[in-house]
Amino acid sequence: LAASAEQWTIDRGGRFHRPDAVMKDGEALIAMEYDAGYDRRTIRRKVRQFEPYSGLVWATPSAIRSARMKADYPHVDVITVDYWSAQT
């Protein structure tokens, strides 16, 4: 996700129909979503809503959650952001 700040747009009120952030890479728009505990139904809905984007990066706080997401949605780029462990 090496991109300049100018390439990113953050949506502070996106809720279900818009991603948390969008990265513009040339003509491509890459959706970014941080999942700190969505239920499976919400995940399905969000993944479907973001299909029009060129790509989707889904971040979670746990390796177990990331592994489940990768298994359920192999076309999505999933990363683990272990924020809490880094704070100790």
Side-chain angles (χ1 to χ4, degrees):
L1 299 178
S4 68
E6 293 79 29
Q7 289 176 273
W8 287 96
T9 310
I10 297 173
D11 188 343
R12 295 187 189 339
R15 308 285 291 162
F16 292 113
H17 61 284
R18 294 191 310 249
D20 294 330
V22 176
M23 183 185 78
K24 185 169 173 63
D25 185 19
E27 294 300 313
L29 295 176
I30 311 297
M32 170 63 119
E33 186 70 16
Y34 186 77
D35 170 5
Y38 297 137
D39 60 44
R40 287 181 177 246
R41 181 175 165 213
T42 299
I43 292 169
R44 276 193 308 272
R45 186 175 3 169
K46 284 182 166 278
V47 169
R48 266 197 313 266
Q49 284 293 125
F50 304 155
E51 284 177 355
Y53 289 88
S54 304
L56 171 57
V57 176
W58 195 275
T60 77
S62 95
I64 293 169
R65 193 166 186 82
S66 290
R68 186 179 319 128
M69 185 71 189
K70 287 177 187 179
D72 291 346
Y73 301 95
H75 65 286
V76 174
D77 292 319
V78 180
I79 59 174
T80 302
V81 180
D82 189 2
Y83 173 81
W84 303 113
S85 295
Q87 298 305 309
T88 58

